[in-house]
Every structure is written in structure tokens, then in C-alpha cells.
Coordinates of all heavy atoms in Angstrom, one line a residue:
M1 N -17.3 -16.2 1.6 CA -16.1 -15.5 1.7 C -16.3 -14.5 2.9 O -17.3 -13.8 3.0 CB -15.8 -14.7 0.4 CG -14.6 -13.8 0.5 SD -14.3 -12.8 -0.9 CE -13.7 -14.0 -2.1
E2 N -15.3 -14.5 3.8 CA -15.4 -13.7 5.0 C -15.2 -12.2 4.6 O -14.4 -11.9 3.7 CB -14.3 -14.1 6.0 CG -14.3 -13.3 7.3 CD -13.2 -13.7 8.3 OE1 -12.5 -14.7 8.0 OE2 -13.1 -13.1 9.3
T3 N -15.9 -11.3 5.3 CA -15.9 -9.9 5.0 C -15.1 -9.2 6.2 O -15.4 -9.5 7.3 CB -17.3 -9.2 4.9 OG1 -17.9 -9.9 3.8 CG2 -17.2 -7.7 4.6
K4 N -14.2 -8.3 5.8 CA -13.5 -7.5 6.8 C -13.9 -6.1 6.7 O -14.0 -5.6 5.5 CB -11.9 -7.6 6.6 CG -11.4 -9.0 6.8 CD -11.4 -9.4 8.3 CE -10.7 -10.7 8.6 NZ -10.5 -11.0 10.0
T5 N -14.2 -5.4 7.8 CA -14.6 -4.0 7.8 C -13.5 -3.1 8.1 O -12.8 -3.3 9.2 CB -15.8 -3.8 8.8 OG1 -16.9 -4.7 8.4 CG2 -16.3 -2.4 8.7
C6 N -13.2 -2.2 7.2 CA -12.1 -1.2 7.4 C -12.8 0.2 7.5 O -13.5 0.6 6.7 CB -11.2 -1.2 6.3 SG -10.5 -2.8 5.9
L7 N -12.4 0.9 8.6 CA -12.9 2.3 8.8 C -11.7 3.2 8.4 O -10.6 3.1 9.1 CB -13.4 2.5 10.2 CG -13.7 4.0 10.5 CD1 -14.8 4.5 9.6 CD2 -14.1 4.1 12.0
V8 N -11.8 4.0 7.4 CA -10.8 4.9 7.0 C -11.2 6.3 7.4 O -12.2 6.8 7.0 CB -10.5 4.8 5.5 CG1 -9.4 5.7 5.1 CG2 -10.2 3.4 5.0
V9 N -10.3 6.9 8.2 CA -10.6 8.2 8.8 C -9.6 9.3 8.3 O -8.4 9.0 8.4 CB -10.6 8.2 10.3 CG1 -10.9 9.5 10.9 CG2 -11.5 7.1 10.8
C10 N -10.1 10.4 7.8 CA -9.2 11.5 7.4 C -9.8 12.8 7.8 O -11.0 12.8 8.3 CB -8.8 11.4 5.9 SG -10.1 12.0 4.8
G11 N -9.1 13.9 7.5 CA -9.6 15.2 7.9 C -10.9 15.6 7.3 O -11.8 16.0 8.0
A12 N -11.0 15.4 6.0 CA -12.2 15.8 5.3 C -13.1 14.7 4.7 O -14.2 14.9 4.3 CB -11.9 16.8 4.2
G13 N -12.5 13.5 4.7 CA -13.3 12.4 4.1 C -13.3 12.3 2.6 O -14.1 11.6 2.0
F14 N -12.3 12.9 2.0 CA -12.3 12.8 0.5 C -11.0 12.2 0.0 O -10.9 11.0 -0.1 CB -12.4 14.2 -0.1 CG -13.7 14.9 0.2 CD1 -13.8 15.9 1.1 CD2 -14.9 14.4 -0.3 CE1 -15.0 16.5 1.4 CE2 -16.1 15.0 0.0 CZ -16.2 16.0 0.8
A15 N -10.0 13.0 -0.4 CA -8.8 12.5 -1.2 C -8.0 11.5 -0.4 O -7.8 10.4 -0.9 CB -8.0 13.7 -1.6
T16 N -7.5 11.8 0.8 CA -6.6 10.9 1.4 C -7.4 9.6 1.9 O -6.8 8.5 1.9 CB -5.9 11.5 2.7 OG1 -6.9 12.1 3.5 CG2 -5.0 12.6 2.2
S17 N -8.7 9.7 2.2 CA -9.4 8.5 2.6 C -9.6 7.6 1.4 O -9.7 6.4 1.6 CB -10.8 8.9 3.3 OG -11.6 9.6 2.3
T18 N -9.6 8.1 0.2 CA -9.7 7.3 -1.0 C -8.5 6.5 -1.1 O -8.5 5.3 -1.5 CB -10.0 8.2 -2.2 OG1 -11.3 8.8 -2.0 CG2 -10.1 7.3 -3.5
V19 N -7.3 7.1 -0.9 CA -6.1 6.3 -0.9 C -6.1 5.2 0.1 O -5.7 4.1 -0.2 CB -4.9 7.3 -0.7 CG1 -3.6 6.5 -0.6 CG2 -4.7 8.3 -1.8
G20 N -6.5 5.5 1.3 CA -6.6 4.5 2.3 C -7.6 3.4 2.0 O -7.3 2.2 2.3
A21 N -8.7 3.8 1.5 CA -9.7 2.8 1.1 C -9.2 1.8 0.1 O -9.4 0.6 0.2 CB -11.0 3.5 0.6
K22 N -8.5 2.3 -0.9 CA -7.9 1.4 -2.0 C -6.9 0.5 -1.4 O -6.8 -0.7 -1.8 CB -7.3 2.3 -3.1 CG -8.4 2.9 -3.9 CD -7.8 3.7 -5.1 CE -8.9 4.3 -5.9 NZ -8.5 4.9 -7.2
A23 N -6.1 1.0 -0.4 CA -5.1 0.1 0.2 C -5.8 -1.0 1.0 O -5.4 -2.2 0.9 CB -4.2 0.9 1.2
C24 N -6.9 -0.7 1.7 CA -7.6 -1.7 2.5 C -8.2 -2.7 1.5 O -8.2 -3.9 1.8 CB -8.7 -1.1 3.3 SG -8.1 -0.2 4.8
E25 N -8.8 -2.3 0.4 CA -9.4 -3.2 -0.6 C -8.3 -4.1 -1.2 O -8.6 -5.3 -1.3 CB -10.1 -2.4 -1.7 CG -11.3 -1.7 -1.2 CD -11.9 -0.7 -2.2 OE1 -11.2 -0.4 -3.2 OE2 -13.0 -0.2 -1.9
Q26 N -7.2 -3.6 -1.5 CA -6.1 -4.3 -2.0 C -5.6 -5.4 -1.0 O -5.4 -6.6 -1.4 CB -4.9 -3.4 -2.4 CG -3.6 -4.1 -2.8 CD -2.4 -3.2 -2.8 OE1 -2.6 -2.0 -2.9 NE2 -1.2 -3.8 -2.8
V27 N -5.4 -5.0 0.2 CA -4.9 -6.0 1.2 C -6.0 -7.1 1.4 O -5.6 -8.3 1.5 CB -4.6 -5.3 2.5 CG1 -4.4 -6.3 3.7 CG2 -3.3 -4.4 2.3
C28 N -7.2 -6.7 1.5 CA -8.3 -7.7 1.7 C -8.3 -8.7 0.6 O -8.4 -9.9 0.8 CB -9.7 -7.0 1.9 SG -9.9 -6.3 3.5
K29 N -8.2 -8.2 -0.6 CA -8.2 -9.1 -1.8 C -7.0 -10.0 -1.8 O -7.2 -11.2 -2.0 CB -8.1 -8.2 -3.1 CG -8.2 -9.0 -4.3 CD -8.2 -8.1 -5.6 CE -8.3 -8.9 -6.8 NZ -8.3 -8.1 -8.0
E30 N -5.9 -9.5 -1.4 CA -4.7 -10.4 -1.3 C -4.8 -11.5 -0.3 O -4.3 -12.6 -0.5 CB -3.4 -9.6 -1.0 CG -2.9 -8.7 -2.1 CD -1.8 -7.8 -1.7 OE1 -1.1 -8.1 -0.7 OE2 -1.5 -6.8 -2.5
L31 N -5.6 -11.2 0.8 CA -5.8 -12.2 1.9 C -7.0 -13.1 1.6 O -7.2 -14.0 2.4 CB -5.9 -11.4 3.2 CG -4.7 -10.7 3.7 CD1 -5.0 -9.9 4.9 CD2 -3.5 -11.6 3.9
G32 N -7.7 -12.8 0.6 CA -8.9 -13.6 0.3 C -10.2 -13.2 1.0 O -11.1 -14.1 1.1
F33 N -10.2 -12.0 1.4 CA -11.4 -11.5 2.1 C -12.2 -10.5 1.2 O -11.6 -9.9 0.4 CB -11.0 -10.7 3.4 CG -10.3 -11.5 4.4 CD1 -9.1 -11.1 4.9 CD2 -10.9 -12.7 4.9 CE1 -8.4 -11.9 5.8 CE2 -10.2 -13.4 5.9 CZ -8.9 -13.0 6.3
K34 N -13.4 -10.4 1.5 CA -14.2 -9.3 0.9 C -14.1 -8.1 1.8 O -14.1 -8.2 3.0 CB -15.7 -9.8 0.8 CG -16.6 -8.8 0.2 CD -18.0 -9.3 0.1 CE -18.9 -8.2 -0.5 NZ -20.3 -8.6 -0.5
A35 N -13.9 -6.9 1.2 CA -13.7 -5.7 1.9 C -15.0 -4.9 2.0 O -15.6 -4.6 1.0 CB -12.6 -4.9 1.3
K36 N -15.3 -4.5 3.2 CA -16.3 -3.5 3.4 C -15.6 -2.3 4.0 O -15.1 -2.3 5.1 CB -17.4 -3.9 4.4 CG -18.4 -2.9 4.7 CD -19.4 -3.3 5.8 CE -20.4 -2.2 6.0 NZ -21.2 -2.5 7.2
V37 N -15.4 -1.2 3.1 CA -14.6 -0.1 3.5 C -15.6 1.1 3.7 O -16.4 1.4 2.8 CB -13.6 0.3 2.4 CG1 -12.8 1.5 2.8 CG2 -12.7 -0.9 2.2
E38 N -15.5 1.8 4.8 CA -16.2 2.9 5.1 C -15.3 4.1 5.4 O -14.3 4.0 6.1 CB -17.1 2.7 6.4 CG -18.1 1.6 6.3 CD -19.3 2.0 5.4 OE1 -19.6 3.2 5.3 OE2 -19.9 1.1 4.9
K39 N -15.5 5.2 4.7 CA -14.7 6.4 4.9 C -15.5 7.5 5.7 O -16.7 7.7 5.4 CB -14.4 7.0 3.5 CG -13.6 6.1 2.6 CD -13.1 6.7 1.3 CE -14.3 7.1 0.4 NZ -13.9 7.7 -0.9
R40 N -14.8 8.1 6.6 CA -15.4 9.1 7.5 C -14.4 10.2 7.8 O -13.2 10.0 7.8 CB -15.8 8.5 8.8 CG -16.9 7.4 8.8 CD -18.2 8.0 8.4 NE -19.3 7.0 8.5 CZ -19.6 6.1 7.6 NH1 -18.9 5.9 6.5 NH2 -20.6 5.3 7.9
M41 N -15.0 11.4 8.0 CA -14.2 12.5 8.5 C -13.9 12.3 9.9 O -14.5 11.6 10.6 CB -15.1 13.8 8.4 CG -15.4 14.2 7.0 SD -16.3 15.8 6.9 CE -17.6 15.6 8.1
A42 N -12.8 13.0 10.3 CA -12.3 12.8 11.7 C -13.4 13.2 12.7 O -13.5 12.5 13.8 CB -11.1 13.7 11.9
T43 N -14.3 14.1 12.4 CA -15.3 14.5 13.3 C -16.4 13.5 13.5 O -17.1 13.5 14.5 CB -16.0 15.8 12.9 OG1 -16.5 15.6 11.5 CG2 -15.0 17.0 12.9
A44 N -16.5 12.5 12.6 CA -17.5 11.4 12.7 C -16.8 10.1 13.1 O -17.5 9.1 13.2 CB -18.2 11.3 11.4
A45 N -15.5 10.1 13.4 CA -14.8 8.8 13.6 C -15.3 8.1 14.9 O -15.5 6.9 14.8 CB -13.3 9.1 13.8
K46 N -15.5 8.8 15.9 CA -15.9 8.2 17.2 C -17.3 7.4 17.0 O -17.4 6.3 17.4 CB -16.0 9.2 18.3 CG -16.1 8.7 19.7 CD -14.8 8.6 20.3 CE -14.9 8.2 21.8 NZ -13.7 8.0 22.4
T47 N -18.2 8.1 16.5 CA -19.5 7.5 16.2 C -19.4 6.3 15.3 O -20.0 5.3 15.5 CB -20.5 8.5 15.7 OG1 -20.6 9.6 16.6 CG2 -21.9 7.9 15.5
A48 N -18.6 6.5 14.2 CA -18.5 5.5 13.2 C -17.9 4.2 13.7 O -18.5 3.1 13.4 CB -17.7 6.0 12.0
Y49 N -16.9 4.3 14.5 CA -16.3 3.0 14.9 C -17.2 2.3 15.9 O -17.2 1.0 15.9 CB -14.9 3.2 15.5 CG -14.7 3.4 17.0 CD1 -14.6 2.3 17.8 CD2 -14.7 4.7 17.5 CE1 -14.5 2.5 19.2 CE2 -14.6 4.9 18.9 CZ -14.5 3.8 19.7 OH -14.3 4.0 21.1
L50 N -18.0 3.0 16.7 CA -18.9 2.4 17.6 C -20.0 1.7 16.9 O -20.5 0.6 17.3 CB -19.5 3.4 18.6 CG -18.4 4.0 19.6 CD1 -19.1 5.1 20.4 CD2 -17.9 2.9 20.5
Q51 N -20.5 2.2 15.8 CA -21.5 1.7 15.0 C -21.0 0.5 14.1 O -21.7 -0.5 14.0 CB -22.2 2.7 14.1 CG -23.0 3.7 14.8 CD -23.5 4.9 14.0 OE1 -23.0 5.1 12.9 NE2 -24.5 5.6 14.5
L52 N -19.9 0.7 13.5 CA -19.4 -0.3 12.5 C -18.6 -1.4 13.1 O -18.6 -2.5 12.5 CB -18.4 0.4 11.5 CG -19.1 1.5 10.6 CD1 -18.0 2.3 9.9 CD2 -20.0 0.8 9.6
K53 N -18.0 -1.2 14.2 CA -17.2 -2.3 14.9 C -16.2 -2.9 13.9 O -16.2 -4.0 13.6 CB -18.1 -3.4 15.5 CG -19.0 -2.8 16.6 CD -19.9 -3.9 17.1 CE -20.7 -3.5 18.3 NZ -21.3 -2.2 18.3
P54 N -15.3 -2.0 13.3 CA -14.4 -2.4 12.2 C -13.3 -3.4 12.7 O -13.0 -3.4 13.9 CB -13.8 -1.1 11.8 CG -13.8 -0.2 13.0 CD -15.1 -0.6 13.7
D55 N -12.8 -4.1 11.8 CA -11.7 -5.0 12.0 C -10.4 -4.2 12.1 O -9.4 -4.6 12.8 CB -11.5 -6.0 10.9 CG -12.7 -7.0 10.9 OD1 -12.9 -7.7 11.9 OD2 -13.6 -6.9 10.0
V56 N -10.4 -3.0 11.5 CA -9.2 -2.1 11.5 C -9.7 -0.7 11.3 O -10.6 -0.5 10.6 CB -8.1 -2.5 10.5 CG1 -8.6 -2.3 9.1 CG2 -6.8 -1.8 10.8
I57 N -9.0 0.2 11.9 CA -9.2 1.7 11.7 C -7.9 2.2 11.1 O -6.8 2.1 11.7 CB -9.5 2.4 13.0 CG1 -10.8 1.8 13.6 CG2 -9.7 3.9 12.8 CD1 -11.1 2.3 15.1
L58 N -8.0 2.7 9.9 CA -6.9 3.3 9.2 C -6.9 4.8 9.2 O -7.9 5.4 8.7 CB -6.9 2.8 7.7 CG -5.7 3.2 6.9 CD1 -4.4 2.7 7.4 CD2 -5.9 2.8 5.4
L59 N -6.0 5.4 9.9 CA -6.0 6.9 10.1 C -5.2 7.5 9.0 O -4.0 7.2 8.8 CB -5.4 7.2 11.5 CG -6.1 6.7 12.7 CD1 -5.4 7.2 14.0 CD2 -7.6 7.2 12.7
M60 N -5.8 8.4 8.3 CA -5.1 9.1 7.2 C -4.8 10.6 7.6 O -4.5 11.4 6.8 CB -6.0 9.1 5.9 CG -6.3 7.7 5.4 SD -4.9 6.7 5.1 CE -4.2 7.5 3.7
A61 N -5.0 10.8 8.9 CA -4.7 12.1 9.5 C -4.2 11.9 10.9 O -4.5 10.8 11.5 CB -5.9 13.0 9.5
K62 N -3.4 12.8 11.5 CA -3.0 12.6 12.8 C -4.1 13.0 13.8 O -4.6 14.1 13.8 CB -1.8 13.5 13.1 CG -1.1 13.3 14.4 CD 0.2 14.0 14.6 CE 0.7 13.7 15.9 NZ 2.1 14.2 16.0
L63 N -4.6 12.0 14.5 CA -5.7 12.1 15.5 C -5.3 11.6 16.8 O -4.5 10.7 17.0 CB -6.9 11.3 15.0 CG -7.5 11.7 13.6 CD1 -8.7 10.8 13.3 CD2 -8.0 13.1 13.6
T64 N -5.9 12.2 17.8 CA -5.6 11.8 19.2 C -6.8 11.1 19.9 O -6.9 11.1 21.1 CB -5.1 13.0 20.1 OG1 -6.2 14.0 20.0 CG2 -3.8 13.5 19.6
L65 N -7.7 10.6 19.1 CA -8.9 10.0 19.6 C -8.6 8.6 20.2 O -7.7 7.9 19.7 CB -10.0 9.8 18.5 CG -10.6 11.0 17.9 CD1 -11.4 10.7 16.7 CD2 -11.4 11.7 18.9
D66 N -9.3 8.2 21.2 CA -9.1 6.9 21.8 C -10.1 5.9 21.2 O -11.3 6.1 21.3 CB -9.3 7.0 23.3 CG -9.2 5.7 24.0 OD1 -8.7 4.7 23.4 OD2 -9.5 5.6 25.2
F67 N -9.6 4.9 20.5 CA -10.5 3.9 19.8 C -10.6 2.6 20.7 O -10.9 1.6 20.1 CB -10.0 3.7 18.4 CG -10.2 4.8 17.5 CD1 -9.1 5.6 17.1 CD2 -11.4 5.2 17.0 CE1 -9.2 6.7 16.3 CE2 -11.6 6.2 16.1 CZ -10.5 7.0 15.8
G68 N -10.2 2.7 21.9 CA -10.3 1.5 22.8 C -9.5 0.4 22.3 O -8.3 0.6 22.0
D69 N -10.1 -0.8 22.2 CA -9.3 -2.0 21.8 C -9.3 -2.2 20.3 O -8.7 -3.3 19.9 CB -10.0 -3.2 22.5 CG -9.8 -3.2 24.0 OD1 -8.8 -2.6 24.5 OD2 -10.6 -3.8 24.7
Y70 N -9.9 -1.4 19.5 CA -9.9 -1.6 18.1 C -8.5 -1.3 17.5 O -7.8 -0.3 17.9 CB -10.9 -0.6 17.4 CG -12.3 -1.0 17.7 CD1 -13.0 -0.6 18.8 CD2 -12.9 -1.9 16.8 CE1 -14.3 -1.0 19.0 CE2 -14.3 -2.3 17.0 CZ -14.9 -1.9 18.1 OH -16.2 -2.3 18.3
P71 N -8.0 -2.2 16.6 CA -6.7 -1.9 16.1 C -6.6 -0.7 15.1 O -7.5 -0.5 14.3 CB -6.4 -3.2 15.3 CG -7.7 -3.9 15.1 CD -8.6 -3.4 16.2
V72 N -5.6 0.1 15.4 CA -5.5 1.4 14.6 C -4.2 1.3 13.9 O -3.1 1.0 14.4 CB -5.5 2.6 15.5 CG1 -5.3 3.9 14.8 CG2 -6.9 2.7 16.3
V73 N -4.2 1.7 12.6 CA -3.0 1.7 11.8 C -2.8 3.1 11.2 O -3.8 3.7 10.7 CB -3.1 0.7 10.6 CG1 -1.9 0.8 9.6 CG2 -3.2 -0.7 11.1
N74 N -1.6 3.7 11.3 CA -1.3 5.0 10.8 C -1.1 4.8 9.3 O -0.2 4.3 8.8 CB -0.1 5.5 11.4 CG 0.4 6.8 10.8 OD1 -0.3 7.5 10.0 ND2 1.6 7.3 11.1
G75 N -2.1 5.4 8.5 CA -2.0 5.3 7.0 C -1.4 6.4 6.3 O -1.3 6.4 5.1
I76 N -0.9 7.4 7.0 CA -0.3 8.6 6.4 C 0.8 8.2 5.4 O 0.9 8.8 4.3 CB 0.1 9.6 7.4 CG1 -1.1 10.2 8.2 CG2 0.9 10.8 6.8 CD1 -0.8 11.0 9.4
P77 N 1.6 7.2 5.7 CA 2.7 6.9 4.7 C 2.1 6.4 3.4 O 2.9 6.4 2.4 CB 3.4 5.7 5.4 CG 3.3 6.0 6.9 CD 1.9 6.6 7.0
L78 N 0.9 6.0 3.3 CA 0.3 5.6 2.0 C 0.2 6.8 1.1 O 0.3 6.7 -0.1 CB -1.1 5.0 2.2 CG -1.2 3.7 3.0 CD1 -2.6 3.4 3.3 CD2 -0.4 2.6 2.3
V79 N 0.1 8.0 1.7 CA 0.0 9.3 0.9 C 1.4 9.7 0.5 O 1.7 10.1 -0.6 CB -0.7 10.4 1.6 CG1 -0.8 11.7 0.9 CG2 -2.2 9.9 1.9
T80 N 2.3 9.7 1.5 CA 3.7 10.2 1.3 C 4.5 9.2 0.5 O 5.5 9.6 -0.2 CB 4.4 10.5 2.6 OG1 4.6 9.3 3.3 CG2 3.6 11.5 3.4
G81 N 4.2 8.0 0.6 CA 5.0 6.9 0.0 C 6.2 6.4 0.8 O 6.7 5.4 0.6
I82 N 6.5 7.2 1.8 CA 7.6 6.8 2.7 C 7.1 5.9 3.8 O 6.3 6.4 4.7 CB 8.3 8.1 3.3 CG1 8.8 9.0 2.2 CG2 9.4 7.7 4.3 CD1 9.3 10.3 2.7
G83 N 7.5 4.6 3.8 CA 7.0 3.7 4.8 C 5.7 3.0 4.3 O 5.1 2.3 5.1
K84 N 5.3 3.1 3.1 CA 4.1 2.5 2.5 C 4.1 1.0 2.8 O 3.1 0.4 3.2 CB 4.0 2.8 1.1 CG 2.8 2.3 0.4 CD 2.7 2.6 -1.1 CE 1.5 2.0 -1.7 NZ 1.4 2.3 -3.2
D85 N 5.2 0.3 2.5 CA 5.3 -1.1 2.6 C 5.0 -1.6 4.0 O 4.4 -2.6 4.3 CB 6.6 -1.7 2.1 CG 6.8 -1.5 0.6 OD1 5.7 -1.4 -0.1 OD2 7.9 -1.5 0.1
K86 N 5.5 -0.8 5.0 CA 5.3 -1.1 6.4 C 3.8 -1.0 6.8 O 3.3 -1.9 7.5 CB 6.1 -0.2 7.3 CG 6.0 -0.5 8.8 CD 6.9 0.5 9.6 CE 6.7 0.2 11.1 NZ 7.4 1.1 11.9
V87 N 3.1 0.0 6.3 CA 1.7 0.1 6.5 C 0.9 -1.0 5.9 O 0.1 -1.6 6.6 CB 1.2 1.5 6.0 CG1 -0.3 1.6 6.1 CG2 1.8 2.6 6.7
L88 N 1.2 -1.4 4.7 CA 0.5 -2.5 4.1 C 0.8 -3.8 4.8 O -0.1 -4.6 5.0 CB 1.0 -2.6 2.6 CG 0.6 -1.5 1.7 CD1 1.2 -1.7 0.3 CD2 -0.9 -1.3 1.6
A89 N 2.0 -4.0 5.3 CA 2.3 -5.2 6.1 C 1.5 -5.2 7.4 O 1.0 -6.2 7.9 CB 3.8 -5.3 6.4
E90 N 1.4 -4.0 8.0 CA 0.7 -3.9 9.3 C -0.8 -4.2 9.1 O -1.5 -4.9 9.8 CB 0.9 -2.6 9.9 CG 0.3 -2.5 11.3 CD 0.6 -1.1 12.0 OE1 1.4 -0.3 11.4 OE2 0.1 -0.9 13.1
L91 N -1.3 -3.7 8.0 CA -2.7 -4.0 7.6 C -3.0 -5.5 7.4 O -4.0 -6.0 7.9 CB -3.2 -3.2 6.3 CG -3.6 -1.8 6.5 CD1 -3.8 -1.2 5.1 CD2 -4.9 -1.7 7.3
K92 N -2.0 -6.1 6.7 CA -2.1 -7.6 6.5 C -2.1 -8.3 7.8 O -2.9 -9.2 8.0 CB -1.0 -8.1 5.6 CG -1.2 -7.7 4.1 CD 0.0 -8.2 3.3 CE -0.1 -7.7 1.9 NZ 1.0 -8.1 1.1
E93 N -1.3 -7.9 8.7 CA -1.2 -8.6 10.0 C -2.5 -8.4 10.8 O -3.0 -9.4 11.3 CB 0.0 -8.0 10.8 CG 0.1 -8.6 12.2 CD 1.2 -7.9 13.0 OE1 2.1 -7.3 12.5 OE2 1.0 -7.9 14.3
V94 N -3.0 -7.2 10.9 CA -4.2 -7.0 11.6 C -5.4 -7.7 11.0 O -6.2 -8.3 11.7 CB -4.5 -5.4 11.7 CG1 -5.9 -5.2 12.2 CG2 -3.4 -4.7 12.5
L95 N -5.5 -7.6 9.7 CA -6.7 -8.2 9.0 C -6.6 -9.8 9.0 O -7.6 -10.4 8.8 CB -6.9 -7.7 7.6 CG -7.3 -6.2 7.6 CD1 -7.2 -5.6 6.2 CD2 -8.7 -6.0 8.1
S96 N -5.4 -10.3 9.2 CA -5.3 -11.8 9.2 C -5.7 -12.4 10.6 O -5.8 -13.6 10.7 CB -3.8 -12.1 9.0 OG -3.5 -11.8 7.6
R97 N -5.9 -11.6 11.6 CA -6.2 -12.1 12.9 C -7.6 -12.7 12.9 O -8.5 -12.3 12.3 CB -6.2 -11.0 13.9 CG -4.8 -10.4 14.1 CD -4.8 -9.4 15.2 NE -3.5 -8.7 15.2 CZ -3.3 -7.5 15.7 NH1 -4.3 -6.8 16.3 NH2 -2.1 -6.9 15.6

């Protein structure tokens, strides 16, 4: 089974990143992938993506960091509930590549 790596980034690395991590795990399961989910605080995001080389970066906070060519998905709607389906669809699209 193929493994997809998801880097979930939030302000403190606790509550909102857990919501994002569960969404990544759910999407990977639906697509038939094993999920490797790593949660990091925003201050550690730059180092984390360079080390992990994730398939997707899910932002649970508004950040202006440049992640180069790595696909980035805005995960804030997963917390608010407004636009949640769009985020899940975008995760599915990115992870299906």
C-alpha cells in the first residue's frame, strides 16, 4: 500500500492541527493510501517540509511562507465548517496525483 505524507501546520501544533491530521487520514483512507501525518507549529514548518518532502502541506493557520513547488491546501475551513467539502476535495485531488 502506497504511503502519502501530509504535513499539517498550525500556529501552536495542537488543536487545529489535530483536525487537519484527521482530515488527511480520512482522505488517504478513502483513496486507498496509508497516511503518514506530521503536525508542526508554524515556526517549524520550513524545516519540516524540507526534511519530510510531503505530498501535501495542509495549513491550519494563515501563513505567508514560501513552500516552493510543494502543494499547499488551506485547511482553515475544516475548523470553521464553511467550505469544508471544498478542502476535502482539494486534498483528494492533490493526493491522487
Side-chain angles (χ1 to χ4, degrees):
M1 178 181 288
E2 184 179 354
T3 300
K4 295 288 185 170
T5 302
C6 305
L7 174 60
V8 181
V9 180
C10 77
F14 296 110
T16 56
S17 61
T18 300
V19 171
K22 288 184 180 190
C24 284
E25 289 168 353
Q26 172 191 340
V27 168
C28 283
K29 184 177 180 181
E30 288 176 17
L31 295 173
F33 300 123
K34 183 178 177 185
K36 177 183 178 189
V37 180
E38 297 286 335
K39 301 186 292 185
R40 296 290 190 278
M41 296 185 309
T43 55
K46 192 96 173 174
T47 303
Y49 94 87
L50 292 171
Q51 291 174 341
L52 296 169
K53 298 178 177 36
D55 295 291
V56 66
I57 300 169
L58 182 63
L59 298 181
M60 302 304 292
K62 187 171 182 170
L63 299 177
T64 56
L65 293 173
D66 179 10
F67 293 103
D69 293 334
Y70 288 85
V72 177
V73 174
N74 174 12
I76 294 172
L78 296 172
V79 177
T80 66
I82 300 168
K84 178 180 176 179
D85 292 339
K86 183 178 177 186
V87 173
L88 294 174
E90 189 174 355
L91 276 173
K92 286 179 185 177
E93 178 187 332
V94 169
L95 291 170
S96 293
R97 295 181 191 162

